[in-house]
Structure formats: C-alpha cells, structure tokens
Amino acid sequence: MEIKKVAVIGAGVMGAGIAAHISNAGIPVVLLDIVPKGIDNRNAIAEGAVQKMLKVQPAPFMHKRNARLITTGNIEDHLELLAECDWIIEAVIERLDIKQDLYSKIDAVRRPGSIVSSNTSTIPLHDLVAGQSDVFAADFLITHFFNPPRYMRLLEITSGDKTRAEAVAAIRDFSDRALGKGVVDCKDTPGFIANRIGIFWIQVAILEAMALGLTVEEADAVMGRPLGIPKTGVFGLSDLVGIDLMPHLMESMERTLPKGDPFLEKSTIPELVSRMIADGYTGRKGKGGFYRINKSSGNKVKESIDLASGEYRPSQKAHLESLAQARTGGLKALVSHPDRGGRYAGRVLAQVLGYAASLVPEIADDILAVDEAMKLGYAWKYGPFELIDRLGTKAFGELLEREGVALPPLIQLAAEQSFYRVQDGQLQYLDTSGTYQDLQRPAGVLLLSDIKRRSEPLAKNGSAALWDIGDGVVCLEYTSKMNAMDPDILALMRESIAIVSKGYKALVLHNEGDNYSVGANLGLLLFAANLGTWDQIEEMVEGGQETYRALKYAPFPVIGAPSGMALGGGCESLLHCDAVQAHAETYIGLVEVGVGLIPGWGGCKEMLQRWISNKRRPGGPMPAVIKCFETISTATVAKSAAEAKDYLFFRPDDGITMNRDRLLADAKARALSMVKGYQPPKPIEIRLPGPTAKAAMEMAINGVRLAGKATAHDVVVSMKLAEMLSGGDTDITEPMTEDDLLALERDVFMSLIRHPDTLDRMEHMLETGKPLRN
C-alpha cells in the first residue's frame, strides 16, 4: 500500500509537528482540530499551529515551502477530507472517551483500507479499539512519535491481535523511507519501550542524587557523557521536557503498571519538585528549573538549585575523582570508584539496567528493540544491553548483588556471555533462548560500521580510511576529532584518487560520525600561525586547493554523502563532488568569516561558478557575485539539505535521503548510475566585474558598519572577501581561469591569517566553540 496523503487530527505541539514532518517528505497533509469557542475563524487552531511552526526554532519544517502541503480545517466541517487519505493519525488529548468518540466519526467517513493510528503513549491499544468494529480494529495501530517529530528518530509501533499485517508493513516502510524514522515494534504495554525505561531512569536518577547528596551539576556530569548520554544528563533533560510533566507521567504509570512492578516503588514525586512546580519553576518553559538564568544583576548568571535547601546558587563545574577516572578507564572505572559519583553511577545503573533486562520479552521480543528505542528516543549512545556489555555481564551481576537488585532471568541466561558479539565479521545478539542470532539489516540499508567489521581498509592513516563497499565503489571515511579536515585526510584523499583510478568505479565521501566535518583543523593552523611559518601555511592552503581540484577532475564519479554539520573545509569538499546524496538533516555552510578568514580551499571559486551558471539568476555577473558575498560574508548555514539547495551549496538535482541508515546505500547507487559514459567536468573559466563589484560591496559593508552591526575586523574580512569575489583587478572582458581564482583566494586568505585579530578569533573559537565579536 502506498501512502500518498495523510491526515492528522489534533493540532497541538505533537500533532502539528507530525503534520509538518510528513510535509517534509513531500506528502500532502490534512490537519484538523476542534472549532474554538468565541472566534469567527472555525479553523483558527489548525491555521495558528501552522503559522507558529513557521516562526519557531528549531524549525519543524525542513523548508518553509513545505507548509503549503498542509490543508487546515476542523473536525466539524471537514471530516469528509479524510476520505482522500491513506493514513489518519489521531493526536488529540489523552482521554479514552474523546478518542473513541472520534474513532466512530473517522470510521464513518474514511475510505475502506485506509489506516488509522493513535499517537498515544499512555492508553493501551486494546482499550482504544474496544467497542469499535472489527474492520476498524484491523486497520488500527499505535504510532508513537517522539517530540520534536522532525528531529527525534524513534517511532514506536504497536499493533493489536486484529491489526492487518499489511497495514503495519505499510506504515513501517513509509515511516522508515519517507519520514526517516527508526521504527521499533513494541508490545501493548504501559509506556511501550523508551518511556517505560526512560521515565524510570529519570526518576531513579533524581531520587538517588538527592539520597546521596550530589549537586545537580555532579549528577548530570555522571549521568551524561561517561555513559554515552547527552550532557544534559537527567536534571538538564527534565528542564528541557518540562518538570511539570513528571506528576502526569507518574500518575499514568501508576494507573497502568501491574502490581509489584519496580517502577511503582520509585513513583513518588519529591517534595522539592512539587514545590518547584507550584512556584512556576517548570524548566526552560517556566521561570527556570533545576537550572535557571538569573538576570537580576544585569548580567546573565547560570544558577543551579540546591537539592537539599531548594535555594539557587551560581552553577559550578563538577569535580569528582570518579569522573576523572572514567575519562581514562571508562564505565567500569566510574562504577567501581568509591566516591559519591561512583556510588551514584552504580546505584542508578543497577536499578535502570536491571529493570530493562527484566522487561524482555514483556515489552519487546528481543534486546535489539530495547537498545534501539533508547538510542533513538533518548539519544543514548549505547542501549541498556550495550551498557551491560561495557561493564561485562559478570561484573553487572555482581553490581546487582551489591546494590540489592534482583538478578533478572535474562542476565542469568547470559551466564557471563556478552549480549552482542562479532562472529566471522557478523554482528550477533543474544536472543531470549540464549542463542546468538545474526543481526539482519533491512533491505536497502548499508552501514559502514558493518563493512568495517568484516574487512580491512584499502588504505588508512591517523585521520582517514578507505573502504571497499562493494560493486566497485569505495568510501573515504574521515576519522579525526569531529572529522576536522587536516593534512592526513587530504593525503589519503589524494591516495584514494590513485587507488580508485587503478581498479574501481567510483568514490563516496561519507562517515558515520555525528557530523560529516566541522571544517579545517583550526588547532594546526593556529599553531603554525603562532610560529610564523607562513610558507608552511600557504603550502597547506595550496595543498588543499590542489587536492580538492584533483577530486573534482578525477576520471570517475565522486559522490558526497554528508549528514550533520558540513562546515568550512567540509563544505568545500562537497562543493567539488560530481553529485551529493545528503541526509535530510545536513547543516552546511562556509563559516570561515567567523574566525576572520575566507574559504581557502576553492569554496569561493566554486560558489561563484555555481551562481554565475545558475539559469534562474538575473543577467550579468554582478547579481551572482553579490549573492555569493551575502552568503559567505554572513557565514550562512543551511538548516536542512532542502534549504541548502536555495544557497546552491547543493545542486537542484542532488539527492536527499530521509533515513540516515539508508544514506550510504543511496550514495553508492547514485555513484553507480553515473559510471557509464562518465566524463569529468570542464575546467572553469568565468568573467568577473572587478573594481565595479568591489565598490558596490564596500558600500554595503560601510552601511552595515554604520548601523553598528559589524566590528572593525568584520569590515576588514568583508573587504577582503569582496576583493576575492569581484576578481581583484580583473575586468569583465577578461576571462579568469581556475588557477587565477585559486591564486586570488589564496592571497586573500594569507593576508587575513597574518592579522592579529584573526589569530585572536581563532584562539577564542578553539577555547569556547563560539565566534569572537571583537
């Protein structure tokens, strides 16, 4: 069954966000809500939700034009629109009577075979379909999205005894391919998987922090990065999602969980939390939470609440010996340390991981679903069973005994075996019978991590590796810190061109890090600048230019496959590819002006070429030069792959993949489609307006300066950028070659790297991760 049109009923935060994300897939959506009282516009709620989403950040829409795909209305006047829809999603208030009444109305107008689902996270499926027809029950399931729907990859699916297998398969496939979701099948149990474990984790972590006398900073430091959990930890996460949700979540779990469940022993809301909620300290959406920003002194001071007294004090960095040990010794060192951080980690992990292990197969058929749900729904780097493996099943059993937690049958079954292992290059997991099973990827999923388990690299150095991904295609992987571009990556890029030329068909640039590349390695550049080795720096710049040019004119297709951030030198590498197959959540831009530089590895040259050859631009080179200047001088970063096409960081025909797990396979297919009859691009030769364009840009720069929106060094950098983009002393009658453009780009870069303010900005960026506005 093909999903061509979707309806969402309920235009609250979740319902509207779901509708927006479906529109991101290019699918028309009907968004309905109730008729508001006392307002003439009967569609005001749905219309207002769409307008609000066009303004908020982070943006629910990958491109503002996607809002046009949403048709708004109300459930009194427009239910007949559901007859056109293949999938109808209910996202209304969590009241069974309201949902069941709505289902009866939906069933009366929907077309036969259309699928209906609920986004509920608290009401069992069997209660939802009680009293409905068997035909309705056959088409009904639960699809539990996580907030915000665009950014959170987890989608939990629960089906009933009567649900058609075809309906589940259709939603699973659409959600995977079109929406980019990691779909996890759950059983019809309270909280499904992620919230059953995640809410328990938050509650246990808060209670144990209070019991052991930790500060919120200490607790978040322990519950964060050492465990592979985002640095918000547990108190920061509670502030983010809203502390006032805690009582509602506890009430829901107390109402639906079976007697004797360990969760019920931890469901008490601490008196401090109740007082915070009553006083309006509900987290980021309120006056503050466990953390707050105090502006009373005229400055912004971050403060943390004292868990014992309830008073706020300036936040302090956590200093625990156990954290220092964990940085070198890992999770085992953290849990085994005797200080309060180590005891805290041990007590929380014993309860939470023990609870997770006790729930299989109650909440899911296997450990894979549990680990996937926590990684995708709560952004854990490791799932519960992967964390147990990092401790060792024997050591974990001893931890349970030490903390007085009952040994779950699944831990007994493992009998000191790991839950995951690699056998002959194949990743396997332990099933509930104690047998190892091969982990099977869905059709169309190709992961570099799987390839790396079963093969050796074709070439490798300290910052990159080259892998054979099959069918004559190889993949260049960056492995430096944050995948920053450095001389080792450039060296292996040149070696890769030689290797592919001799026996392969195509090259893909891709890695599975959080970011494709954050740009050039500023640390190396600053070190060389502080030593005054200007010749070495110029060689580095010229080397990058020549490497990227060799990539561009290689005798085979080169495909970029980015995800996450692709900034500065990372962006420039993609500008030199024949084509790009990008993950939808790719954030790309030339941001060098933030550290007082301009793009130096061909980025200016490539952007000029793209805008000058753009068929939709106004006539003459001036508009193209101005557009490049606006984009580069403001360090513009596209906030999605779709938006990147507006700035020509990506070409109109570059591909977008919604599901990151499918990105490498899609890039490989794109590369293979270009092999037959491949010809490298023709060399660049363009005409630039020279001093005329430079004068126009200087006028704009002076206007910004006079308005107080640019610092003195911003002006210096922008003037130099204007010089490069205008072509220097050229004339519109004189063609400029690629060599001319690269030489000019290099000269401007070198003049800026010598400026003291540029060095200050680079140093500030390395220390803080933020641009310096001096």
Side-chain angles (χ1 to χ4, degrees):
M1 177 181 175
E2 188 175 358
I3 307 295
K4 296 180 179 178
K5 191 170 186 177
V6 178
V8 179
I9 303 179
V13 173
M14 278 302 299
I18 292 168
H21 192 52
I22 291 169
S23 78
N24 290 333
I27 303 296
V29 188
V30 173
L31 179 62
L32 307 179
D33 209 301
I34 61 172
V35 176
K37 295 179 181 179
I39 299 178
D40 291 337
N41 182 0
R42 295 170 64 83
N43 304 332
I45 295 177
E47 289 179 6
V50 173
Q51 291 305 310
K52 183 177 180 180
M53 290 192 296
L54 286 168
K55 300 174 184 176
V56 300
Q57 293 294 334
F61 292 111
M62 290 181 176
H63 198 290
K64 289 184 183 294
R65 64 169 173 261
N66 295 343
R68 302 173 196 164
L69 290 170
I70 299 179
T71 300
T72 55
N74 67 77
I75 57 176
E76 292 184 21
D77 303 329
H78 304 113
L79 273 183
E80 74 279 358
L81 294 176
L82 303 186
E84 307 168 2
C85 299
D86 305 298
W87 181 15
I88 301 163
I89 303 170
E90 169 268 303
V92 302
I93 189 172
E94 292 288 83
R95 274 183 48 185
L96 182 60
D97 58 332
I98 291 176
K99 291 178 186 288
Q100 289 184 330
D101 179 64
L102 179 61
Y103 296 159
S104 297
K105 294 176 181 177
I106 291 172
D107 204 22
V109 298
R110 73 186 182 101
R111 65 172 181 77
S114 60
I115 300 167
V116 182
S117 72
S118 174
N119 186 56
T120 185
S121 60
T122 63
I123 304 175
L125 185 145
H126 59 266
D127 289 342
L128 293 172
V129 297
Q132 305 296 328
S133 68
D134 287 346
V135 173
F136 182 87
D139 292 332
F140 185 84
L141 61 154
I142 290 174
T143 50
H144 181 217
F145 289 81
F146 274 62
N147 192 34
R150 170 183 167 182
Y151 300 97
M152 297 304 295
R153 287 191 60 203
L154 178 61
L155 178 69
E156 294 178 317
I157 288 185
T158 299
S159 57
D161 294 337
K162 297 179 181 179
T163 308
R164 293 184 294 117
E166 297 84 358
V168 178
I171 297 304
R172 183 188 293 115
D173 185 71
F174 177 81
S175 300
D176 170 349
R177 296 175 186 273
L179 302 184
K181 296 299 178 185
V183 180
V184 173
D185 292 311
C186 309
K187 296 187 178 181
D188 191 14
T189 56
F192 308 121
I193 298 175
N195 280 345
R196 178 79 170 270
I197 298 169
I199 296 169
F200 182 75
W201 163 63
I202 292 172
Q203 185 73 353
V204 168
I206 289 175
L207 293 176
E208 292 296 348
M210 291 179 168
L212 287 168
L214 273 77
T215 66
V216 293
E217 298 98 327
E218 289 172 340
D220 283 348
V222 172
M223 279 295 113
R225 287 175 173 169
L227 276 65
I229 291 172
K231 65 180 181 179
T232 50
V234 63
F235 288 102
L237 177 62
S238 298
D239 281 356
L240 183 63
V241 301
I243 298 170
D244 54 330
L245 283 178
M246 292 175 66
H248 299 290
L249 294 170
M250 291 305 113
E251 186 277 330
S252 172
M253 289 300 183
E254 288 174 345
R255 187 182 70 251
T256 55
L257 284 173
K259 290 182 179 180
D261 191 286
F263 197 121
L264 299 176
E265 300 174 11
K266 302 291 181 180
S267 61
T268 302
I269 300 297
E271 189 274 333
L272 171 63
V273 173
S274 297
R275 191 166 71 246
M276 290 171 67
I277 295 171
D279 293 341
Y281 286 93
T282 55
R284 295 190 187 183
K285 65 183 179 182
K287 295 189 291 185
F290 294 108
Y291 298 94
R292 74 175 184 183
I293 302 297
N294 189 338
K295 302 177 183 177
S296 60
S297 65
N299 298 317
K300 293 182 179 180
V301 179
K302 185 178 181 181
E303 296 182 335
S304 307
I305 201 165
D306 186 298
L307 295 175
S309 69
E311 301 296 323
Y312 283 95
R313 53 162 178 76
S315 297
Q316 299 175 348
K317 187 175 181 180
H319 293 285
L320 292 168
E321 182 61 32
S322 54
L323 291 173
Q325 291 273 89
R327 282 191 282 272
T328 55
L331 191 57
K332 290 182 180 179
L334 174 66
V335 172
S336 61
H337 199 281
D339 75 1
R340 61 181 181 274
R343 296 199 308 275
Y344 177 60
R347 287 171 68 165
V348 173
L349 289 178
Q351 294 175 73
V352 174
L353 302 185
Y355 186 56
S358 74
L359 293 175
V360 179
E362 176 192 337
I363 62 173
D365 288 329
D366 53 49
I367 66 171
L368 294 177
V370 173
D371 280 349
E372 194 75 352
M374 293 309 298
K375 288 190 289 186
L376 297 179
Y378 279 78
W380 289 15
K381 185 176 181 179
Y382 310 104
F385 293 96
E386 291 172 320
L387 283 171
I388 292 172
D389 275 356
R390 293 179 75 80
L391 288 170
T393 49
K394 180 180 179 181
F396 181 65
E398 294 169 351
L399 176 64
L400 293 176
E401 183 178 0
R402 186 178 82 205
E403 298 297 338
V405 177
L407 194 68
L410 199 57
I411 302 297
Q412 298 179 45
L413 182 70
E416 300 183 17
Q417 301 176 97
S418 62
F419 282 101
Y420 294 91
R421 72 176 187 184
V422 176
Q423 193 79 357
D424 298 324
Q426 171 65 50
L427 182 61
Q428 297 181 328
Y429 67 95
L430 196 68
D431 67 14
T432 54
S433 71
T435 304
Y436 283 103
Q437 303 291 338
D438 288 349
L439 194 157
Q440 301 291 339
R441 304 293 184 192
V445 170
L446 178 65
L447 299 182
L448 193 56
S449 54
D450 288 341
I451 292 168
K452 291 163 66 174
R453 286 190 195 95
R454 60 175 181 259
S455 63
E456 295 294 324
L458 300 173
K460 184 179 182 180
N461 63 27
S463 297
L466 188 68
W467 301 92
D468 184 340
I469 61 174
D471 300 310
V473 182
V474 298
C475 175
L476 178 62
E477 174 198 26
Y478 312 145
T479 60
S480 60
K481 184 177 180 180
M482 298 186 74
N483 295 324
M485 310 299 291
D486 63 17
D488 277 353
I489 290 178
L490 297 176
L492 196 60
M493 192 174 284
R494 293 189 293 271
E495 186 179 349
S496 299
I497 294 169
I499 291 172
V500 177
S501 298
K502 292 177 181 177
Y504 294 90
K505 299 176 181 177
L507 174 66
V508 172
L509 308 183
H510 172 76
N511 63 74
E512 291 176 352
D514 291 338
N515 299 298
Y516 171 79
S517 174
V518 297
N521 188 322
L522 280 184
L524 289 177
L525 190 59
L526 181 61
F527 179 75
N530 284 331
L531 292 178
T533 55
W534 307 118
D535 290 345
Q536 182 180 337
I537 292 175
E538 187 161 9
E539 288 176 8
M540 188 188 306
V541 175
E542 188 170 10
Q545 291 179 337
E546 291 307 313
T547 300
Y548 283 180
R549 180 154 63 172
L551 197 70
K552 179 179 179 179
Y553 295 114
F556 49 79
V558 178
I559 309 298
S563 57
M565 290 189 289
L567 306 178
C571 172
E572 288 177 293
S573 71
L574 297 170
L575 292 174
H576 287 80
C577 292
D578 292 293
V580 168
Q581 184 71 36
H583 181 232
E585 298 294 353
T586 298
Y587 317 116
I588 183 171
L590 296 168
V591 297
E592 287 84 352
V593 295
V595 291
L597 297 169
I598 70 163
W601 284 345
C604 296
K605 173 254 303 180
E606 288 299 313
M607 290 300 288
L608 281 169
Q609 171 68 6
R610 290 188 179 200
W611 278 103
I612 287 174
S613 61
N614 180 23
K615 295 179 181 178
R616 292 182 294 176
R617 70 171 175 82
M622 186 73 84
V625 171
I626 297 300
K627 190 64 182 179
C628 287
F629 178 75
E630 290 173 352
T631 303
I632 299 172
S633 67
T634 57
T636 298
V637 175
K639 296 178 181 177
S640 69
E643 195 175 287
K645 294 187 178 186
D646 291 351
Y647 301 108
L648 297 190
F649 293 134
F650 296 153
R651 303 176 182 88
D653 59 349
D654 281 337
I656 298 175
T657 297
M658 291 294 282
N659 192 325
R660 188 170 179 176
D661 290 346
R662 297 183 177 276
L663 179 58
L664 183 57
D666 288 352
K668 176 182 173 182
R670 181 71 181 269
L672 288 171
S673 73
M674 298 175 66
V675 169
K676 187 176 180 181
Y678 175 77
Q679 293 292 326
K682 295 180 180 179
I684 286 177
E685 187 176 276
I686 60 178
R687 299 172 188 270
L688 292 172
T692 303
K694 183 181 178 182
M697 288 183 277
E698 287 180 351
M699 288 178 62
I701 295 165
N702 285 325
V704 173
R705 180 181 59 81
L706 291 172
K709 297 180 180 179
T711 68
H713 196 52
D714 289 334
V715 172
V716 171
V717 176
S718 296
M719 291 291 193
K720 285 292 186 180
L721 176 63
E723 178 184 333
M724 191 278 135
L725 294 176
S726 63
D729 295 329
T730 190
D731 183 86
I732 193 67
T733 62
E734 301 174 2
M736 297 189 72
T737 66
E738 197 152 0
D739 284 334
D740 297 331
L741 293 168
L742 289 174
L744 183 55
E745 190 179 81
R746 191 165 60 248
D747 288 345
V748 170
F749 184 97
M750 291 305 302
S751 70
L752 287 171
I753 191 68
R754 289 181 166 90
H755 199 292
D757 285 349
T758 292
L759 300 183
D760 287 344
R761 288 192 176 194
M762 292 170 63
E763 189 168 357
H764 182 81
M765 175 66 81
L766 286 170
E767 290 178 354
T768 68
K770 299 177 181 179
L772 174 65
R773 309 305 297 175
N774 55 356

